[in-house]
Amino acid sequence: MAGAAAPQSAASKLNKPQPKRVNLMTVALVTVLCSASYLLGVWQRSGNTSATISAASLLATTVPCIDRDTFNSDKSGIQLDFTSHHASDDGSTAVVPLTRNFSPCAAELSEYTPCEDVLRSLKFERDRLVYRERHCPEKHELFKCLVPAPPGYRTPFPWPASRELAWFANVPHKELTVEKAVQNWIRVEGDKFRFPGGGTMFPNGADAYIDDIDGLISLSDGSIRTAIDTGCGVASWGAFLLSRNILAMSIAPRDTHEAQVQFALERGVPAMIGVLASNRLPYPSRSFDMAHCSRCLIPWNQYDGLYLIEIDRILRPGGYWILSGPPINWKRHSKGWERTVEDLNAEQSSIESVARSLCWKKIKEKEDIAVWQKPTNHVHCKVNRKVIKSPPFCSSPNPDSAWYTKMEPCITPLPDVAGIKEIAAGELKKWPERLTAVPPRIESGSVAGATADSFAQDTNLWTKRIHYYKLVVPQLGQNGRYRNLLDMNANFGGFAAALAGEPLWVMNVVPTAANGGNLGVVYERGLIGTYQDWCEAMSTYPRTYDLLHADSLFTLYKERCEMEDILIEMDRILRPEGTVIIRDDVDVVVKIKTIVDGMRWESQIVDHEDGPHQREKLLLAVKSYWTSSERSHDESSTAS
């Protein structure tokens, strides 16, 4: 097959010595021709769902188009042969294991979310929605197969068209179009879904609703950058905030409203499966500038205000909490909500009481929207504890601990301040200055091993690396090719920061095996992310991300879990024809390649940006396009 021969051709071209002098005009011409070849492939696929971009051809247009002398300091023309030029740590040559092929999973697993599996969840208690939290399979229960795309799967619409449109075949669920028909959430138009931007409490559209919020607190001066939307629906609030340079983490449980988070991600909007139940949300303290709930059906006044206490933990000093829907403006809506005025009045009074106990100040309530503000420090609040005994301040040592950490009915104390007007933990710069300013957590010395100098070096390093990535993966520099990106070992978020000017977003994961304090730095930069143990599945649907980036991830998890289990999870959350960039020690990269070669990925090893003598290498891979219908056809052909 021609498609299968492409990687060999690419490798043979790479192995030829390169000239020592580079004609810049020639390099530019070749780059243009490569880009034109890719765009032609995209055009062909967009016009015919059965025509797919060959993963092999994508790699073939990636690496051979680069003249390595343009960025290698060594001009010796050394050929790339990674399996023989580098020895293992013990001095022996790396032994390459045999490749084994991974079979596709059954078609009914096309939307499989291992840690939020509906059948498994029924084994856990219903009280406080504990059954909707993460409950991951045991090691012996792990599937060793590849989750298929549904029949007819198509490449999502590019941003910003994806904000309003998604292919029906990609998320074949009509439940919300029926249940939320009068609320303008979503509707079916032929083979597409359309998202008008409506919501339960914003029938005139998310933009108009956000304008109403902007009339109460400023959303345009750069002081609000990160937000969280609890019970997000299809994430229209977060989708329309993006045009105002506000990055929202939208969360909703996997529940009877099928595919809310899946719709959000298909639209190109940051989202995760998540629920306020018994565990803390997987974010550090003081993460978000703003939290939002629009008829999210969370019982804020119950369990001694535990859920508002958790919102308080993840709000930065001076951050805002916005509530619309029951019980706000109950005098007007009580009949429509089919609840008694006594019940609604009691609920609002209870919420107000919890907010006061947290020392929040109510900024304003106008029509259907109410806004509270968290104090900038706890000087007055600590004095108030002498009168208001509950909730007390927490004594737990790590307020950032949030991976299977139980919520506590206590206030997370803010760092001490010298004066009443001082902002606890340090004042954040406004966006976009905060992206590159030294984060307060580093400036204060609270992140182990991090200094202002090391932060600046990391920022410069990732600027250099992203430049190199765009050379070896030219599609990374093309607007619209990638939208949802995942950095699986984000450190300070340097990868995302170097891409901040692009029309894309990055989910920055700080693994539980790494320095957990770094995720707080990510948020202080105005980026978003989550904790994750990569020995378990991520709280997201299959085919979530267009590009996965893993920097030294497999070395980090070398003694913790099986490499193939992490790669199978990567395959689950990667879109067909999505791209993977793995950088790690050469021995690790070679072993990874033997596994992914059996996973319907086309892969190739390339040099480190500093040249061939570096042990660290890059594995570039593209996931092939295939669906569950193709699997069924292959099986029937084999049987006959």
Side-chain angles (χ1 to χ4, degrees), residues 331-342:
K331 292 180 181 177
R332 176 183 174 186
H333 296 294
S334 59
K335 290 183 179 179
W337 291 337
E338 297 180 351
R339 291 175 59 183
T340 65
V341 295
E342 292 81 10

Side-chain angles (χ1 to χ4, degrees), residues 385-524:
R385 289 309 93 182
K386 297 176 181 178
V387 178
I388 305 173
K389 302 295 184 181
S390 182
F393 279 99
C394 299
S395 57
S396 53
N398 187 4
D400 293 345
S401 175
W403 187 248
Y404 296 114
T405 304
K406 293 300 179 184
M407 295 182 196
E408 295 181 80
C410 56
I411 302 173
T412 299
L414 292 173
D416 292 334
V417 294
I420 189 66
K421 293 184 179 180
E422 186 179 341
I423 297 175
E427 184 174 5
L428 294 175
K429 301 288 185 182
K430 292 184 178 181
W431 181 263
E433 289 79 10
R434 66 191 280 190
L435 181 67
T436 53
V438 179
R441 291 180 192 240
I442 290 180
E443 203 164 35
S444 67
S446 60
V447 179
T451 65
D453 286 343
S454 66
F455 173 77
Q457 290 169 8
D458 184 77
T459 299
N460 293 334
L461 175 65
W462 281 105
T463 299
K464 172 185 174 181
R465 286 180 170 179
I466 291 298
H467 175 71
Y468 180 71
Y469 286 176
K470 288 181 178 180
L471 291 173
V472 295
V473 186
Q475 294 76 22
L476 187 58
Q478 297 171 355
N479 285 355
R481 175 61 180 89
Y482 304 110
R483 175 63 185 170
N484 303 359
L485 279 67
L486 174 66
D487 192 0
M488 301 176 70
N489 187 16
N491 194 24
F492 298 142
F495 172 83
L499 290 167
E502 310 285 346
L504 51 81
W505 60 272
V506 180
M507 182 70 76
N508 294 278
V509 168
V510 172
T512 55
N515 186 342
N518 290 351
L519 189 55
V521 171
V522 168
Y523 275 95
E524 288 185 340

